[in-house]
Amino acid sequence: MSFVEYGDTIKDGDTAIVFLGHESMFPVKVQHGTVTQTKYGVIRHSTDLIGKKYGSKVTCSKGGWVFILHPTPELWTMNLPHRTQILYSTDISIITMMLELKPGSIVCESGTGSGSLSHALIRTVAPTGHLYTVEFHQQRAEKAREEFREHGVEHLVTVTNQDVCKNGFGVSNVADAVFLDIPSPWEAIGHAKSALKAEGGRICSFSPCIEQVQRTCLAMEEYGFTEINTLEILLRVYNVRTISLQIPDLGKAAEDNSSTGFDSSSPSHQASPCANLQQGTVQFKSGVPLREVVGHTGYLTFATKS
């Protein structure tokens, strides 16, 4: 099993996603002799998972059932154990596009954190690219190495435990792109420039506060970066549902009554098709924004090495 290569069959040692519903899923490490508890009952790894195909419908001990999904960076982002605040797919997608990443790209990242963006970057640059990720916190760096090894992508990533603001990324003049998600990104702009290839390399900095963005932009200008721009991605989700609305009375029946001289109080008029139509309702699909929407996450500042 690998996060960048698909496998049909669940094997011992795999990381799989137990899917109970769109709002309820969680990762599990498949192991012989292990059981996993769900609200629908017990899942026995040896008999219910190992050897089955990914996407299978598995019946639990209480009679309920779940689906077992192959892991992807998107599913991992939704289910990973949080060691830090993470980036979600909305920001990850624009970062991948604006950094112009593709298979074979060399990317430097700091900090690694919970590895949400890291998995997406690895999948994008595979099979011939490489990710150099730097994490200041030793325990988080060790945990990231362990996860990359378990997920079958350790050959595509190098994890370094050091302070990127003081010691840089450990590589020079090779990176196609650099991503910064640290408290003071302006202190790492010089090291980012050194890590980038001779010209044309792209850099992105994620910061939650506009004051951080201002200092970072000034540092980028100082080090000769061009095409500096900052943007913010806000996601607005719509709920598609069926609604019923009353057909409006446009006065047509009243006009017909006056022109024909009919008595509006007569039973024949009250039962007319036109009157029934105007008193009815019509159903149709409508998109309605949710009452609560995801607000500000952070500012993304992009620039190009001149």
Side-chain angles (χ1 to χ4, degrees), residues 1-7 9-18 26-31 45 49-50 54-55 68-73 75-77 79-81 119 143 146-153:
M1 184 278 302
S2 170
F3 273 56
V4 298
E5 297 176 356
Y6 184 80
T9 306
I10 303 172
K11 299 180 178 62
D12 186 23
D14 282 2
T15 298
I17 305 297
V18 179
F26 59 89
V28 62
K29 184 174 182 180
V30 180
Q31 293 178 311
H45 294 200
L49 298 184
I50 297 175
Y54 279 106
I68 307 300
L69 305 180
H70 193 285
T72 64
L75 289 175
W76 186 246
T77 291
N79 296 281
L80 58 77
H119 282 80
K143 186 60 178 178
E146 179 184 341
E147 286 181 349
F148 293 142
R149 183 170 58 255
E150 291 179 353
H151 298 166
V153 297

mmCIF file of all heavy atoms in Angstrom, residues 1-7 9-18 26-31 45 49-50 54-55 68-73 75-77 79-81 119 143 146-153:
data_model
loop_
_atom_site.group_PDB
_atom_site.id
_atom_site.type_symbol
_atom_site.label_atom_id
_atom_site.label_comp_id
_atom_site.label_asym_id
_atom_site.label_seq_id
_atom_site.Cartn_x
_atom_site.Cartn_y
_atom_site.Cartn_z
ATOM 1 N N MET A 1 0.838 -1.195 0.000
ATOM 2 C CA MET A 1 0.000 0.000 0.000
ATOM 3 C C MET A 1 0.875 1.249 0.000
ATOM 4 O O MET A 1 1.868 1.314 0.705
ATOM 5 C CB MET A 1 -0.892 0.002 1.250
ATOM 6 C CG MET A 1 -1.890 1.161 1.343
ATOM 7 S SD MET A 1 -1.196 2.702 1.985
ATOM 8 C CE MET A 1 -0.587 2.207 3.575
ATOM 9 N N SER A 2 0.507 2.227 -0.806
ATOM 10 C CA SER A 2 1.228 3.489 -0.851
ATOM 11 C C SER A 2 0.231 4.602 -1.126
ATOM 12 O O SER A 2 -0.790 4.399 -1.777
ATOM 13 C CB SER A 2 2.306 3.470 -1.937
ATOM 14 O OG SER A 2 2.852 4.765 -2.128
ATOM 15 N N PHE A 3 0.544 5.777 -0.630
ATOM 16 C CA PHE A 3 -0.326 6.930 -0.857
ATOM 17 C C PHE A 3 -0.194 7.470 -2.277
ATOM 18 O O PHE A 3 -0.931 8.366 -2.661
ATOM 19 C CB PHE A 3 -0.001 8.037 0.149
ATOM 20 C CG PHE A 3 -0.748 7.902 1.444
ATOM 21 C CD1 PHE A 3 -0.662 6.744 2.204
ATOM 22 C CD2 PHE A 3 -1.548 8.925 1.912
ATOM 23 C CE1 PHE A 3 -1.338 6.613 3.393
ATOM 24 C CE2 PHE A 3 -2.239 8.805 3.112
ATOM 25 C CZ PHE A 3 -2.133 7.642 3.857
ATOM 26 N N VAL A 4 0.758 6.970 -3.048
ATOM 27 C CA VAL A 4 0.941 7.438 -4.423
ATOM 28 C C VAL A 4 0.704 6.338 -5.440
ATOM 29 O O VAL A 4 0.701 6.586 -6.637
ATOM 30 C CB VAL A 4 2.352 8.037 -4.629
ATOM 31 C CG1 VAL A 4 2.547 9.253 -3.741
ATOM 32 C CG2 VAL A 4 3.436 7.006 -4.355
ATOM 33 N N GLU A 5 0.536 5.094 -4.982
ATOM 34 C CA GLU A 5 0.272 3.967 -5.880
ATOM 35 C C GLU A 5 -0.914 3.189 -5.346
ATOM 36 O O GLU A 5 -1.002 2.911 -4.147
ATOM 37 C CB GLU A 5 1.496 3.050 -5.987
ATOM 38 C CG GLU A 5 2.715 3.728 -6.599
ATOM 39 C CD GLU A 5 3.931 2.817 -6.586
ATOM 40 O OE1 GLU A 5 3.807 1.702 -6.021
ATOM 41 O OE2 GLU A 5 4.976 3.209 -7.106
ATOM 42 N N TYR A 6 -1.832 2.825 -6.228
ATOM 43 C CA TYR A 6 -3.041 2.145 -5.786
ATOM 44 C C TYR A 6 -2.826 0.645 -5.715
ATOM 45 O O TYR A 6 -2.195 0.049 -6.583
ATOM 46 C CB TYR A 6 -4.203 2.441 -6.745
ATOM 47 C CG TYR A 6 -5.512 1.830 -6.294
ATOM 48 C CD1 TYR A 6 -6.267 2.452 -5.302
ATOM 49 C CD2 TYR A 6 -5.972 0.629 -6.829
ATOM 50 C CE1 TYR A 6 -7.453 1.901 -4.863
ATOM 51 C CE2 TYR A 6 -7.158 0.074 -6.402
ATOM 52 C CZ TYR A 6 -7.903 0.714 -5.424
ATOM 53 O OH TYR A 6 -9.076 0.157 -4.998
ATOM 54 N N GLY A 7 -3.361 0.025 -4.666
ATOM 55 C CA GLY A 7 -3.329 -1.427 -4.517
ATOM 56 C C GLY A 7 -4.738 -1.960 -4.375
ATOM 57 O O GLY A 7 -5.581 -1.357 -3.698
ATOM 58 N N THR A 9 -5.748 -4.971 -3.000
ATOM 59 C CA THR A 9 -6.024 -5.844 -1.861
ATOM 60 C C THR A 9 -5.462 -5.267 -0.563
ATOM 61 O O THR A 9 -4.349 -4.730 -0.541
ATOM 62 C CB THR A 9 -5.428 -7.242 -2.100
ATOM 63 O OG1 THR A 9 -5.898 -7.751 -3.344
ATOM 64 C CG2 THR A 9 -5.834 -8.197 -0.987
ATOM 65 N N ILE A 10 -6.226 -5.401 0.516
ATOM 66 C CA ILE A 10 -5.791 -4.951 1.843
ATOM 67 C C ILE A 10 -4.783 -5.945 2.387
ATOM 68 O O ILE A 10 -5.041 -7.156 2.422
ATOM 69 C CB ILE A 10 -6.997 -4.841 2.794
ATOM 70 C CG1 ILE A 10 -8.053 -3.903 2.213
ATOM 71 C CG2 ILE A 10 -6.549 -4.349 4.169
ATOM 72 C CD1 ILE A 10 -9.353 -3.880 3.000
ATOM 73 N N LYS A 11 -3.629 -5.451 2.814
ATOM 74 C CA LYS A 11 -2.557 -6.310 3.328
ATOM 75 C C LYS A 11 -2.241 -5.966 4.776
ATOM 76 O O LYS A 11 -2.553 -4.860 5.252
ATOM 77 C CB LYS A 11 -1.297 -6.169 2.468
ATOM 78 C CG LYS A 11 -1.472 -6.574 1.010
ATOM 79 C CD LYS A 11 -0.162 -6.405 0.260
ATOM 80 C CE LYS A 11 -0.282 -6.849 -1.191
ATOM 81 N NZ LYS A 11 -1.258 -6.049 -1.948
ATOM 82 N N ASP A 12 -1.595 -6.899 5.454
ATOM 83 C CA ASP A 12 -1.151 -6.671 6.819
ATOM 84 C C ASP A 12 -0.158 -5.512 6.842
ATOM 85 O O ASP A 12 0.807 -5.489 6.068
ATOM 86 C CB ASP A 12 -0.500 -7.946 7.367
ATOM 87 C CG ASP A 12 -0.138 -7.819 8.841
ATOM 88 O OD1 ASP A 12 -0.751 -6.978 9.534
ATOM 89 O OD2 ASP A 12 0.755 -8.557 9.290
ATOM 90 N N GLY A 13 -0.377 -4.543 7.714
ATOM 91 C CA GLY A 13 0.492 -3.370 7.817
ATOM 92 C C GLY A 13 -0.014 -2.163 7.062
ATOM 93 O O GLY A 13 0.549 -1.064 7.192
ATOM 94 N N ASP A 14 -1.057 -2.321 6.249
ATOM 95 C CA ASP A 14 -1.615 -1.191 5.493
ATOM 96 C C ASP A 14 -2.301 -0.188 6.415
ATOM 97 O O ASP A 14 -2.765 -0.532 7.506
ATOM 98 C CB ASP A 14 -2.636 -1.681 4.467
ATOM 99 C CG ASP A 14 -1.987 -2.267 3.225
ATOM 100 O OD1 ASP A 14 -0.744 -2.327 3.187
ATOM 101 O OD2 ASP A 14 -2.728 -2.675 2.303
ATOM 102 N N THR A 15 -2.375 1.048 5.948
ATOM 103 C CA THR A 15 -3.236 2.053 6.569
ATOM 104 C C THR A 15 -4.493 2.151 5.715
ATOM 105 O O THR A 15 -4.412 2.432 4.511
ATOM 106 C CB THR A 15 -2.553 3.422 6.643
ATOM 107 O OG1 THR A 15 -1.385 3.324 7.468
ATOM 108 C CG2 THR A 15 -3.486 4.479 7.215
ATOM 109 N N ALA A 16 -5.652 1.910 6.290
ATOM 110 C CA ALA A 16 -6.919 1.943 5.565
ATOM 111 C C ALA A 16 -7.855 2.948 6.228
ATOM 112 O O ALA A 16 -7.683 3.320 7.390
ATOM 113 C CB ALA A 16 -7.560 0.559 5.534
ATOM 114 N N ILE A 17 -8.848 3.400 5.468
ATOM 115 C CA ILE A 17 -9.835 4.346 5.972
ATOM 116 C C ILE A 17 -11.154 3.615 6.172
ATOM 117 O O ILE A 17 -11.712 3.060 5.220
ATOM 118 C CB ILE A 17 -10.033 5.530 5.008
ATOM 119 C CG1 ILE A 17 -8.696 6.208 4.706
ATOM 120 C CG2 ILE A 17 -11.032 6.522 5.591
ATOM 121 C CD1 ILE A 17 -8.017 6.835 5.900
ATOM 122 N N VAL A 18 -11.642 3.605 7.423
ATOM 123 C CA VAL A 18 -12.943 3.012 7.732
ATOM 124 C C VAL A 18 -14.011 4.091 7.528
ATOM 125 O O VAL A 18 -14.029 5.097 8.240
ATOM 126 C CB VAL A 18 -12.986 2.479 9.173
ATOM 127 C CG1 VAL A 18 -14.354 1.893 9.483
ATOM 128 C CG2 VAL A 18 -11.900 1.439 9.387
ATOM 129 N N PHE A 26 -12.455 7.200 9.828
ATOM 130 C CA PHE A 26 -11.224 7.272 10.603
ATOM 131 C C PHE A 26 -10.208 6.288 10.028
ATOM 132 O O PHE A 26 -10.577 5.285 9.404
ATOM 133 C CB PHE A 26 -11.478 6.976 12.092
ATOM 134 C CG PHE A 26 -12.071 5.624 12.365
ATOM 135 C CD1 PHE A 26 -11.270 4.511 12.577
ATOM 136 C CD2 PHE A 26 -13.452 5.463 12.419
ATOM 137 C CE1 PHE A 26 -11.810 3.270 12.838
ATOM 138 C CE2 PHE A 26 -14.013 4.217 12.687
ATOM 139 C CZ PHE A 26 -13.187 3.119 12.890
ATOM 140 N N PRO A 27 -8.895 6.555 10.218
ATOM 141 C CA PRO A 27 -7.867 5.649 9.715
ATOM 142 C C PRO A 27 -7.609 4.510 10.681
ATOM 143 O O PRO A 27 -7.818 4.644 11.894
ATOM 144 C CB PRO A 27 -6.636 6.549 9.593
ATOM 145 C CG PRO A 27 -6.827 7.555 10.690
ATOM 146 C CD PRO A 27 -8.319 7.780 10.806
ATOM 147 N N VAL A 28 -7.169 3.385 10.163
ATOM 148 C CA VAL A 28 -6.825 2.244 11.001
ATOM 149 C C VAL A 28 -5.637 1.538 10.383
ATOM 150 O O VAL A 28 -5.530 1.432 9.155
ATOM 151 C CB VAL A 28 -8.027 1.279 11.137
ATOM 152 C CG1 VAL A 28 -8.442 0.715 9.789
ATOM 153 C CG2 VAL A 28 -7.712 0.149 12.100
ATOM 154 N N LYS A 29 -4.704 1.097 11.224
ATOM 155 C CA LYS A 29 -3.574 0.301 10.758
ATOM 156 C C LYS A 29 -3.948 -1.172 10.821
ATOM 157 O O LYS A 29 -4.269 -1.700 11.890
ATOM 158 C CB LYS A 29 -2.322 0.564 11.600
ATOM 159 C CG LYS A 29 -1.090 -0.173 11.082
ATOM 160 C CD LYS A 29 0.162 0.207 11.837
ATOM 161 C CE LYS A 29 1.387 -0.521 11.268
ATOM 162 N NZ LYS A 29 2.622 -0.158 11.990
ATOM 163 N N VAL A 30 -3.934 -1.821 9.677
ATOM 164 C CA VAL A 30 -4.366 -3.211 9.575
ATOM 165 C C VAL A 30 -3.276 -4.123 10.140
ATOM 166 O O VAL A 30 -2.114 -4.058 9.719
ATOM 167 C CB VAL A 30 -4.666 -3.579 8.107
ATOM 168 C CG1 VAL A 30 -5.115 -5.029 7.995
ATOM 169 C CG2 VAL A 30 -5.716 -2.639 7.529
ATOM 170 N N GLN A 31 -3.659 -4.987 11.101
ATOM 171 C CA GLN A 31 -2.713 -5.914 11.731
ATOM 172 C C GLN A 31 -3.408 -7.228 12.052
ATOM 173 O O GLN A 31 -4.559 -7.244 12.505
ATOM 174 C CB GLN A 31 -2.131 -5.313 13.018
ATOM 175 C CG GLN A 31 -1.242 -4.103 12.802
ATOM 176 C CD GLN A 31 -0.746 -3.520 14.111
ATOM 177 O OE1 GLN A 31 -1.518 -3.282 15.033
ATOM 178 N NE2 GLN A 31 0.553 -3.314 14.210
ATOM 179 N N HIS A 45 -9.597 -7.673 11.968
ATOM 180 C CA HIS A 45 -8.670 -7.437 10.861
ATOM 181 C C HIS A 45 -8.323 -8.729 10.114
ATOM 182 O O HIS A 45 -8.253 -8.738 8.881
ATOM 183 C CB HIS A 45 -7.391 -6.769 11.384
ATOM 184 C CG HIS A 45 -7.616 -5.389 11.904
ATOM 185 N ND1 HIS A 45 -6.600 -4.466 12.048
ATOM 186 C CD2 HIS A 45 -8.739 -4.756 12.331
ATOM 187 C CE1 HIS A 45 -7.080 -3.338 12.538
ATOM 188 N NE2 HIS A 45 -8.378 -3.499 12.725
ATOM 189 N N LEU A 49 -10.714 -7.871 7.063
ATOM 190 C CA LEU A 49 -9.972 -6.890 6.263
ATOM 191 C C LEU A 49 -8.897 -7.536 5.380
ATOM 192 O O LEU A 49 -8.918 -7.361 4.154
ATOM 193 C CB LEU A 49 -9.326 -5.844 7.183
ATOM 194 C CG LEU A 49 -10.270 -4.977 8.027
ATOM 195 C CD1 LEU A 49 -9.470 -3.940 8.808
ATOM 196 C CD2 LEU A 49 -11.324 -4.322 7.173
ATOM 197 N N ILE A 50 -7.967 -8.229 5.971
ATOM 198 C CA ILE A 50 -6.819 -8.751 5.224
ATOM 199 C C ILE A 50 -7.282 -9.702 4.121
ATOM 200 O O ILE A 50 -8.037 -10.636 4.368
ATOM 201 C CB ILE A 50 -5.826 -9.446 6.171
ATOM 202 C CG1 ILE A 50 -5.258 -8.431 7.167
ATOM 203 C CG2 ILE A 50 -4.691 -10.106 5.388
ATOM 204 C CD1 ILE A 50 -4.366 -9.023 8.230
ATOM 205 N N TYR A 54 -9.968 -3.271 -1.500
ATOM 206 C CA TYR A 54 -10.320 -1.914 -1.072
ATOM 207 C C TYR A 54 -11.644 -1.506 -1.711
ATOM 208 O O TYR A 54 -11.914 -1.817 -2.864
ATOM 209 C CB TYR A 54 -9.227 -0.924 -1.468
ATOM 210 C CG TYR A 54 -8.055 -0.901 -0.516
ATOM 211 C CD1 TYR A 54 -6.836 -1.476 -0.875
ATOM 212 C CD2 TYR A 54 -8.176 -0.326 0.741
ATOM 213 C CE1 TYR A 54 -5.750 -1.464 -0.001
ATOM 214 C CE2 TYR A 54 -7.101 -0.307 1.620
ATOM 215 C CZ TYR A 54 -5.902 -0.872 1.247
ATOM 216 O OH TYR A 54 -4.844 -0.864 2.125
ATOM 217 N N GLY A 55 -12.468 -0.819 -0.936
ATOM 218 C CA GLY A 55 -13.804 -0.455 -1.382
ATOM 219 C C GLY A 55 -14.852 -1.468 -0.976
ATOM 220 O O GLY A 55 -16.043 -1.271 -1.244
ATOM 221 N N ILE A 68 -14.375 0.007 3.484
ATOM 222 C CA ILE A 68 -12.938 0.137 3.732
ATOM 223 C C ILE A 68 -12.300 0.754 2.484
ATOM 224 O O ILE A 68 -12.310 0.153 1.411
ATOM 225 C CB ILE A 68 -12.290 -1.224 4.043
ATOM 226 C CG1 ILE A 68 -13.045 -1.922 5.176
ATOM 227 C CG2 ILE A 68 -10.826 -1.032 4.415
ATOM 228 C CD1 ILE A 68 -13.077 -1.152 6.482
ATOM 229 N N LEU A 69 -11.764 1.974 2.634
ATOM 230 C CA LEU A 69 -11.264 2.739 1.496
ATOM 231 C C LEU A 69 -9.742 2.765 1.456
ATOM 232 O O LEU A 69 -9.073 2.750 2.501
ATOM 233 C CB LEU A 69 -11.791 4.180 1.556
ATOM 234 C CG LEU A 69 -13.304 4.357 1.652
ATOM 235 C CD1 LEU A 69 -13.645 5.844 1.688
ATOM 236 C CD2 LEU A 69 -14.020 3.663 0.507
ATOM 237 N N HIS A 70 -9.217 2.825 0.229
ATOM 238 C CA HIS A 70 -7.773 3.018 0.040
ATOM 239 C C HIS A 70 -7.414 4.450 0.428
ATOM 240 O O HIS A 70 -8.118 5.393 0.067
ATOM 241 C CB HIS A 70 -7.405 2.762 -1.421
ATOM 242 C CG HIS A 70 -5.932 2.632 -1.654
ATOM 243 N ND1 HIS A 70 -5.077 3.717 -1.660
ATOM 244 C CD2 HIS A 70 -5.148 1.543 -1.893
ATOM 245 C CE1 HIS A 70 -3.842 3.306 -1.900
ATOM 246 N NE2 HIS A 70 -3.865 1.989 -2.040
ATOM 247 N N PRO A 71 -6.319 4.665 1.160
ATOM 248 C CA PRO A 71 -5.973 6.019 1.602
ATOM 249 C C PRO A 71 -5.490 6.889 0.443
ATOM 250 O O PRO A 71 -4.827 6.414 -0.476
ATOM 251 C CB PRO A 71 -4.853 5.786 2.618
ATOM 252 C CG PRO A 71 -4.229 4.496 2.187
ATOM 253 C CD PRO A 71 -5.348 3.655 1.641
ATOM 254 N N THR A 72 -5.835 8.150 0.490
ATOM 255 C CA THR A 72 -5.354 9.170 -0.442
ATOM 256 C C THR A 72 -4.955 10.394 0.380
ATOM 257 O O THR A 72 -5.370 10.519 1.542
ATOM 258 C CB THR A 72 -6.438 9.579 -1.455
ATOM 259 O OG1 THR A 72 -7.530 10.207 -0.735
ATOM 260 C CG2 THR A 72 -6.977 8.375 -2.223
ATOM 261 N N PRO A 73 -4.173 11.306 -0.175
ATOM 262 C CA PRO A 73 -3.850 12.530 0.574
ATOM 263 C C PRO A 73 -5.096 13.296 1.025
ATOM 264 O O PRO A 73 -5.106 13.875 2.112
ATOM 265 C CB PRO A 73 -3.024 13.340 -0.437
ATOM 266 C CG PRO A 73 -2.365 12.301 -1.281
ATOM 267 C CD PRO A 73 -3.386 11.215 -1.431
ATOM 268 N N LEU A 75 -8.158 12.029 1.762
ATOM 269 C CA LEU A 75 -8.752 11.338 2.909
ATOM 270 C C LEU A 75 -7.875 11.459 4.154
ATOM 271 O O LEU A 75 -8.383 11.565 5.276
ATOM 272 C CB LEU A 75 -8.975 9.864 2.567
ATOM 273 C CG LEU A 75 -10.093 9.550 1.564
ATOM 274 C CD1 LEU A 75 -10.109 8.068 1.224
ATOM 275 C CD2 LEU A 75 -11.446 9.979 2.110
ATOM 276 N N TRP A 76 -6.545 11.445 3.963
ATOM 277 C CA TRP A 76 -5.645 11.580 5.096
ATOM 278 C C TRP A 76 -5.774 12.957 5.737
ATOM 279 O O TRP A 76 -5.732 13.087 6.978
ATOM 280 C CB TRP A 76 -4.209 11.314 4.656
ATOM 281 C CG TRP A 76 -3.218 11.289 5.780
ATOM 282 C CD1 TRP A 76 -2.197 12.167 6.006
ATOM 283 C CD2 TRP A 76 -3.158 10.335 6.855
ATOM 284 N NE1 TRP A 76 -1.510 11.824 7.141
ATOM 285 C CE2 TRP A 76 -2.079 10.690 7.684
ATOM 286 C CE3 TRP A 76 -3.915 9.222 7.182
ATOM 287 C CZ2 TRP A 76 -1.734 9.974 8.820
ATOM 288 C CZ3 TRP A 76 -3.579 8.501 8.326
ATOM 289 C CH2 TRP A 76 -2.497 8.888 9.128
ATOM 290 N N THR A 77 -5.936 14.000 4.940
ATOM 291 C CA THR A 77 -6.132 15.351 5.466
ATOM 292 C C THR A 77 -7.365 15.411 6.366
ATOM 293 O O THR A 77 -7.363 16.084 7.399
ATOM 294 C CB THR A 77 -6.267 16.358 4.313
ATOM 295 O OG1 THR A 77 -4.998 16.490 3.655
ATOM 296 C CG2 THR A 77 -6.692 17.726 4.816
ATOM 297 N N ASN A 79 -8.606 12.920 8.108
ATOM 298 C CA ASN A 79 -8.616 11.936 9.193
ATOM 299 C C ASN A 79 -7.311 11.826 9.974
ATOM 300 O O ASN A 79 -7.235 11.030 10.909
ATOM 301 C CB ASN A 79 -8.947 10.549 8.616
ATOM 302 C CG ASN A 79 -10.336 10.490 8.015
ATOM 303 O OD1 ASN A 79 -11.327 10.378 8.723
ATOM 304 N ND2 ASN A 79 -10.413 10.561 6.696
ATOM 305 N N LEU A 80 -6.291 12.568 9.625
ATOM 306 C CA LEU A 80 -4.983 12.398 10.273
ATOM 307 C C LEU A 80 -5.015 12.825 11.738
ATOM 308 O O LEU A 80 -5.837 13.654 12.139
ATOM 309 C CB LEU A 80 -3.911 13.181 9.510
ATOM 310 C CG LEU A 80 -4.070 14.694 9.315
ATOM 311 C CD1 LEU A 80 -3.721 15.484 10.564
ATOM 312 C CD2 LEU A 80 -3.197 15.171 8.160
ATOM 313 N N PRO A 81 -4.119 12.272 12.550
ATOM 314 C CA PRO A 81 -3.990 12.729 13.939
ATOM 315 C C PRO A 81 -3.326 14.111 13.979
ATOM 316 O O PRO A 81 -2.239 14.292 13.438
ATOM 317 C CB PRO A 81 -3.101 11.664 14.587
ATOM 318 C CG PRO A 81 -2.353 11.041 13.450
ATOM 319 C CD PRO A 81 -3.250 11.111 12.258
ATOM 320 N N HIS A 119 1.845 15.102 2.288
ATOM 321 C CA HIS A 119 1.333 13.969 1.525
ATOM 322 C C HIS A 119 0.834 14.405 0.147
ATOM 323 O O HIS A 119 1.033 13.709 -0.852
ATOM 324 C CB HIS A 119 0.208 13.275 2.294
ATOM 325 C CG HIS A 119 0.690 12.394 3.407
ATOM 326 N ND1 HIS A 119 1.067 12.886 4.634
ATOM 327 C CD2 HIS A 119 0.867 11.044 3.470
ATOM 328 C CE1 HIS A 119 1.450 11.885 5.414
ATOM 329 N NE2 HIS A 119 1.337 10.754 4.730
ATOM 330 N N LYS A 143 7.882 11.507 14.219
ATOM 331 C CA LYS A 143 6.570 10.952 13.898
ATOM 332 C C LYS A 143 6.287 11.059 12.402
ATOM 333 O O LYS A 143 5.694 10.143 11.799
ATOM 334 C CB LYS A 143 5.487 11.685 14.690
ATOM 335 C CG LYS A 143 4.091 11.084 14.522
ATOM 336 C CD LYS A 143 4.043 9.643 14.986
ATOM 337 C CE LYS A 143 2.644 9.071 14.864
ATOM 338 N NZ LYS A 143 2.594 7.645 15.261
ATOM 339 N N GLU A 146 8.101 8.307 10.611
ATOM 340 C CA GLU A 146 7.407 7.029 10.829
ATOM 341 C C GLU A 146 6.184 6.905 9.919
ATOM 342 O O GLU A 146 5.943 5.853 9.325
ATOM 343 C CB GLU A 146 6.992 6.943 12.298
ATOM 344 C CG GLU A 146 6.237 5.672 12.653
ATOM 345 C CD GLU A 146 5.770 5.685 14.097
ATOM 346 O OE1 GLU A 146 6.320 6.470 14.898
ATOM 347 O OE2 GLU A 146 4.841 4.911 14.416
ATOM 348 N N GLU A 147 5.414 7.976 9.802
ATOM 349 C CA GLU A 147 4.225 7.931 8.951
ATOM 350 C C GLU A 147 4.589 7.772 7.483
ATOM 351 O O GLU A 147 3.952 6.986 6.763
ATOM 352 C CB GLU A 147 3.390 9.197 9.155
ATOM 353 C CG GLU A 147 2.642 9.229 10.467
ATOM 354 C CD GLU A 147 1.815 10.482 10.633
ATOM 355 O OE1 GLU A 147 1.968 11.428 9.829
ATOM 356 O OE2 GLU A 147 1.015 10.532 11.577
ATOM 357 N N PHE A 148 5.597 8.495 7.025
ATOM 358 C CA PHE A 148 6.015 8.373 5.625
ATOM 359 C C PHE A 148 6.478 6.947 5.312
ATOM 360 O O PHE A 148 6.217 6.416 4.226
ATOM 361 C CB PHE A 148 7.137 9.368 5.303
ATOM 362 C CG PHE A 148 6.703 10.814 5.357
ATOM 363 C CD1 PHE A 148 7.551 11.792 5.868
ATOM 364 C CD2 PHE A 148 5.462 11.189 4.886
ATOM 365 C CE1 PHE A 148 7.156 13.121 5.913
ATOM 366 C CE2 PHE A 148 5.058 12.526 4.924
ATOM 367 C CZ PHE A 148 5.907 13.485 5.447
ATOM 368 N N ARG A 149 7.162 6.328 6.276
ATOM 369 C CA ARG A 149 7.608 4.946 6.099
ATOM 370 C C ARG A 149 6.409 3.989 6.045
ATOM 371 O O ARG A 149 6.341 3.109 5.177
ATOM 372 C CB ARG A 149 8.571 4.564 7.228
ATOM 373 C CG ARG A 149 9.163 3.161 7.094
ATOM 374 C CD ARG A 149 10.276 2.932 8.093
ATOM 375 N NE ARG A 149 9.845 3.121 9.464
ATOM 376 C CZ ARG A 149 10.152 4.189 10.225
ATOM 377 N NH1 ARG A 149 10.915 5.155 9.737
ATOM 378 N NH2 ARG A 149 9.719 4.284 11.464
ATOM 379 N N GLU A 150 5.459 4.156 6.949
ATOM 380 C CA GLU A 150 4.275 3.302 6.966
ATOM 381 C C GLU A 150 3.423 3.483 5.712
ATOM 382 O O GLU A 150 2.776 2.536 5.251
ATOM 383 C CB GLU A 150 3.430 3.608 8.202
ATOM 384 C CG GLU A 150 4.078 3.187 9.512
ATOM 385 C CD GLU A 150 3.215 3.539 10.710
ATOM 386 O OE1 GLU A 150 2.184 4.234 10.516
ATOM 387 O OE2 GLU A 150 3.553 3.120 11.829
ATOM 388 N N HIS A 151 3.446 4.677 5.142
ATOM 389 C CA HIS A 151 2.612 4.974 3.978
ATOM 390 C C HIS A 151 3.316 4.681 2.648
ATOM 391 O O HIS A 151 2.770 4.969 1.582
ATOM 392 C CB HIS A 151 2.164 6.436 4.018
ATOM 393 C CG HIS A 151 1.319 6.753 5.211
ATOM 394 N ND1 HIS A 151 1.025 8.053 5.612
ATOM 395 C CD2 HIS A 151 0.690 5.940 6.111
ATOM 396 C CE1 HIS A 151 0.261 8.012 6.693
ATOM 397 N NE2 HIS A 151 0.049 6.748 7.007
ATOM 398 N N GLY A 152 4.522 4.141 2.710
ATOM 399 C CA GLY A 152 5.212 3.727 1.499
ATOM 400 C C GLY A 152 5.744 4.849 0.633
ATOM 401 O O GLY A 152 5.905 4.676 -0.575
ATOM 402 N N VAL A 153 6.056 6.013 1.231
ATOM 403 C CA VAL A 153 6.546 7.143 0.438
ATOM 404 C C VAL A 153 7.888 7.658 0.940
ATOM 405 O O VAL A 153 8.330 8.747 0.549
ATOM 406 C CB VAL A 153 5.515 8.300 0.438
ATOM 407 C CG1 VAL A 153 4.218 7.872 -0.227
ATOM 408 C CG2 VAL A 153 5.245 8.786 1.875
#
